[in-house]
Amino acid sequence: MKNKNTYYITTPIYYPSANFHIGHCYTTIIADAIARYKRLEGYDVCFQTGTDEHGQKIENKAKESGVSPKEYVDEIVQNAINLWDSLNISYDKFLRTTDDIHVKTVQKIFEKLYEKGDIYKGEYKGLYCTPCESFWTASQLVEGKCPDCGRDVHEVKEEAYFLKLSKYQDRLVKYIEEHPGFIQPESRKNEMINNFIQPGLEDLCVSRTSFSWGIPVTFDQNHVVYVWLDALSNYISSLGYMSEDDSEFQKYWPANLHLVGKEIIRFHTIVWPIMLMALDLPLPQQVFGHGWLVINGAKISKSLGNYRDPREYICDYGVDAVRYFVLREVSFGNDGTFSEEALVARTNADLANNLGNLVNRTISMGNKYFNGSVKNLKITEEIDADFIHIINDLVNVVREKMNILHVSEAIAAIFEVLRRANKYIDETTPWILAKDDHLSDRLQTVLYNLLESIRVCACLLAPFMPDTSIEILKQLNTQHQELEYLDDHCYELSQPTPIFQRIDVK
Ligand code: MSP
């Protein structure tokens, strides 16, 4: 039985690519923020990502490059690892579908479902979109093209194995209806039920014979396992399901959250739960389908050539400015627009001004007026109570927002407290207090309150902007990680250095 204190969160496993864009980073940055937040709350978190390395698309690309598929993926998989490193992604597991443990598990899953009669042999006739690795029926096409990516589909006819989706249709609908949190946001749930499940599920073709770059079906070596069956299994193969040591599977499964982009929610809320039902396994608690990052209204895409390498943004603006922008700008679940102008505007207004100036001014005043030693001398005024109440309430607001994955609103709440702290400076006018020796204790109390607001905000910012959080706490020179206003400790401040520079728009 899974312990309530564990939290298993996954991103999709990525097609290895030499051309990742900021849209790809989106799923991973959000997952990272959620994983870090859950760790902050004390959960034993397992955060998994990885690469989806089989399929015709990869086989074709390797052929074009004149290398074997394995050589091809070995070389470019490093791109994902490097990119996640430069974005400070704190994954615990990185699964490659070419890993031995994964290959063996997929083979065992396939055998088990075949023995059970949920996978059977037949003939596949139909339409296939190679870029999406998706089968379609003629009625699902949009103007004769793939409904997901708008590209050409081609006819395929081959002997194949099928997974009995139809057998589980009613059970799936019942499950979705009885577990309102399973598919989120709500709109995606309705879309899945009305557009895909209710019209009737056709059995899914789960093996291919027309190419060989895939996991071989053990009892019928002409066949390789369909990439989506292969890929979806990653969520349990990585935990050792059906292997000699399945202790992590026992510990972490079922997943708390599969975070996926909206275009692949269909696989995660129809095929995956049915695979799990057929395997007699519990279903994940939630599949959340987020919207896309778009540029000028269009999906970011290689063919449109409308993007720069995300590493260039990190280089130009800093990793936390990029993380902040992506997390803050997009209201979760909806599409959001990425633009460098908006990134610069947010960096200047929120990071350099609201946050950076506050930290710099406050620490400078602490150094200037009290040589960096600031205690709570408790010369309070009415205005303090409200300020302290807001600081103490922040952890609750952030928890409430994060529990429903409203990441942008959680961050907004932190920045609202920072804004309030700036206002507290205007209201208490420390520079005027500093002119009168009799008011020195009041001045120290004011600075203490400000430092506490900054400390609590810095601790709560850690999941979203980990480096910035560490840097602020370093400048405050404190080890305290409590998420509430502390009454009584003594700051020995370091020298401030600006944490975000204003970016000049040329
Ligand atoms: N390999 C499959 C997933 C298999 S999971 C069992 C896949 N890979 S992907 O590389 O194409 O996409 C990985 C993630 O990036 C998906 O969640 C996808 O939605 C996300 N994004 C790709 N482009 C995106 C945007 N422009 N905006 C936001 N996310 C997008 O699908």
Side-chain angles (χ1 to χ4, degrees):
M1 180 65 183
K2 179 176 154 108
N3 182 325
K4 282 214 168 74
N5 193 39
T6 59
Y7 191 85
Y8 181 34
I9 174 171
T10 66
T11 71
I13 46 172
Y14 285 70
Y15 295 124
S17 165
N19 298 294
F20 284 120
H21 53 64
I22 192 77
H24 289 117
C25 304
Y26 182 60
T27 314
T28 312
I29 294 175
I30 305 171
D32 183 64
I34 298 169
R36 286 176 184 269
Y37 178 73
K38 289 289 171 186
R39 291 192 197 108
L40 190 77
E41 280 210 315
Y43 283 86
D44 173 345
V45 172
C46 180
F47 168 23
Q48 172 168 304
T49 188
T51 39
D52 185 358
E53 304 183 11
H54 292 122
Q56 193 164 11
K57 190 167 53 175
I58 300 279
E59 188 176 276
N60 293 348
K61 282 193 183 150
K63 221 175 262 165
E64 282 164 26
S65 318
V67 292
S68 74
K70 184 66 170 63
E71 284 168 333
Y72 176 77
V73 290
D74 278 350
E75 173 144 357
I76 59 172
V77 89
Q78 197 55 40
N79 277 318
I81 295 175
N82 292 345
L83 182 58
W84 302 154
D85 283 352
S86 56
L87 281 167
N88 234 334
I89 305 299
S90 62
Y91 57 83
D92 300 292
K93 284 180 178 289
F94 189 98
L95 181 117
R96 298 182 57 183
T97 54
T98 48
D99 287 343
D100 207 36
I101 175 143
H102 175 78
V103 171
K104 290 213 171 90
T105 309
V106 170
Q107 289 178 325
K108 285 184 201 156
I109 291 175
F110 203 95
E111 282 166 13
K112 184 167 173 179
L113 297 182
Y114 182 69
E115 279 156 20
K116 223 186 136 190
D118 282 338
I119 283 182
Y120 63 93
K121 199 169 187 173
E123 189 186 55
Y124 180 76
K125 271 196 273 188
L127 303 158
Y128 196 72
C129 171
T130 305
C132 291
E133 306 279 15
S134 288
F135 295 103
W136 299 107
T137 58
S139 64
Q140 288 172 320
L141 301 185
V142 175
E143 292 170 4
K145 310 267 185 196
C146 169
D148 273 355
C149 72
R151 280 177 274 208
D152 288 337
V153 293
H154 61 278
E155 269 195 36
V156 289
K157 181 177 168 192
E158 55 189 58
E159 180 191 83
Y161 287 90
F162 289 83
L163 175 67
K164 281 187 184 162
L165 297 189
S166 50
K167 173 177 160 188
Y168 291 93
Q169 173 166 337
D170 293 345
R171 225 175 112 185
L172 180 63
V173 172
K174 187 161 177 275
Y175 185 88
I176 295 173
E177 274 162 4
E178 283 173 1
H179 297 82
F182 176 58
I183 305 180
Q184 284 293 317
E186 191 76 14
S187 56
R188 311 244 192 262
K189 169 175 138 191
N190 301 336
E191 183 192 345
M192 285 304 119
I193 296 194
N194 300 337
N195 299 1
F196 292 100
I197 309 178
Q198 293 297 19
L201 290 179
E202 286 181 29
D203 291 350
L204 178 73
C205 175
V206 289
S207 78
R208 306 293 312 276
T209 52
S210 57
F211 63 91
S212 59
W213 179 237
I215 299 181
V217 174
T218 44
F219 51 88
D220 198 346
Q221 295 274 335
N222 283 338
H223 292 255
V224 292
V225 176
Y226 172 48
V227 275
W228 271 99
L229 199 91
D230 165 351
L232 289 162
S233 307
N234 91 86
Y235 301 128
I236 51 178
S237 69
S238 66
L239 298 178
Y241 172 64
M242 282 179 116
S243 75
E244 266 167 36
D245 177 5
D246 72 348
S247 53
E248 285 191 320
F249 177 74
Q250 298 299 341
K251 181 173 173 190
Y252 289 114
W253 192 259
N256 298 75
L257 178 63
H258 290 315
L259 192 62
V260 303
K262 62 181 179 181
E263 83 284 18
I264 56 173
I265 198 162
R266 193 166 58 91
F267 293 99
H268 284 82
T269 57
I270 299 175
V271 181
W272 181 226
I274 288 181
M275 282 171 67
L276 291 166
M277 284 176 180
L279 291 167
D280 289 321
L281 293 177
L283 268 48
Q285 238 169 53
Q286 185 165 98
V287 178
F288 193 106
H290 65 70
W292 287 335
L293 270 185
V294 297
I295 288 183
N296 295 331
K299 194 178 175 206
I300 308 171
S301 91
K302 194 179 161 195
S303 47
L304 291 173
N306 59 358
Y307 67 91
R308 290 168 72 199
D309 185 322
R311 269 163 289 216
E312 291 178 19
Y313 302 132
I314 298 171
C315 207
D316 287 355
Y317 307 114
V319 54
D320 278 355
V322 173
R323 286 177 65 111
Y324 174 76
F325 179 77
V326 165
L327 293 168
R328 177 70 184 84
E329 187 75 8
V330 186
S331 127
F332 206 29
N334 302 330
D335 287 351
T337 298
F338 181 86
S339 83
E340 278 185 77
E341 294 77 46
L343 192 155
V344 167
R346 276 218 180 269
T347 303
N348 285 345
D350 299 356
L351 303 183
N353 239 350
N354 194 359
L355 171 65
N357 271 350
L358 173 71
V359 175
N360 207 274
R361 277 162 94 189
T362 307
I363 299 180
S364 299
M365 288 191 285
N367 280 314
K368 181 168 167 198
Y369 301 136
F370 301 104
N371 278 329
S373 297
V374 180
K375 282 204 282 272
N376 188 5
L377 295 182
K378 299 184 186 167
I379 306 299
T380 56
E381 287 185 9
E382 222 177 286
I383 174 184
D384 298 1
D386 175 56
F387 186 40
I388 292 169
H389 173 76
I390 287 170
I391 299 170
N392 277 330
D393 198 38
L394 182 60
V395 64
N396 302 323
V397 179
V398 171
R399 185 182 308 117
E400 209 175 280
K401 299 295 182 193
M402 290 303 281
N403 279 346
I404 49 171
L405 304 182
H406 287 192
V407 181
S408 171
E409 290 173 24
I411 301 179
I414 301 172
F415 277 77
E416 184 50 34
V417 173
L418 296 169
R419 199 191 58 77
R420 184 69 188 77
N422 279 308
K423 190 163 162 239
Y424 182 78
I425 297 184
D426 295 341
E427 287 164 348
T428 53
T429 56
W431 55 94
I432 295 177
L433 298 177
K435 287 189 181 141
D436 186 339
D437 281 350
H438 292 106
L439 296 176
S440 168
D441 288 358
R442 170 65 188 150
L443 173 61
Q444 196 165 160
T445 307
V446 164
L447 290 182
Y448 181 86
N449 290 343
L450 283 166
L451 291 167
E452 273 301 286
S453 71
I454 294 170
R455 186 187 63 74
V456 170
C457 287
C459 291
L460 283 167
L461 277 176
F464 315 107
M465 301 198 286
D467 286 351
T468 302
S469 168
I470 292 171
E471 178 57 28
I472 296 174
L473 293 174
K474 201 169 111 200
Q475 296 193 17
L476 293 179
N477 194 19
T478 180
Q479 307 286 331
H480 283 285
Q481 302 278 327
E482 292 85 345
L483 302 177
E484 71 211 338
Y485 176 92
L486 296 177
D487 224 15
D488 239 347
H489 71 100
C490 178
Y491 280 101
E492 292 295 339
L493 301 168
S494 308
Q495 281 307 315
T497 42
I499 40 178
F500 287 99
Q501 304 281 0
R502 269 192 74 82
I503 301 162
D504 283 333
V505 189
K506 298 218 173 66

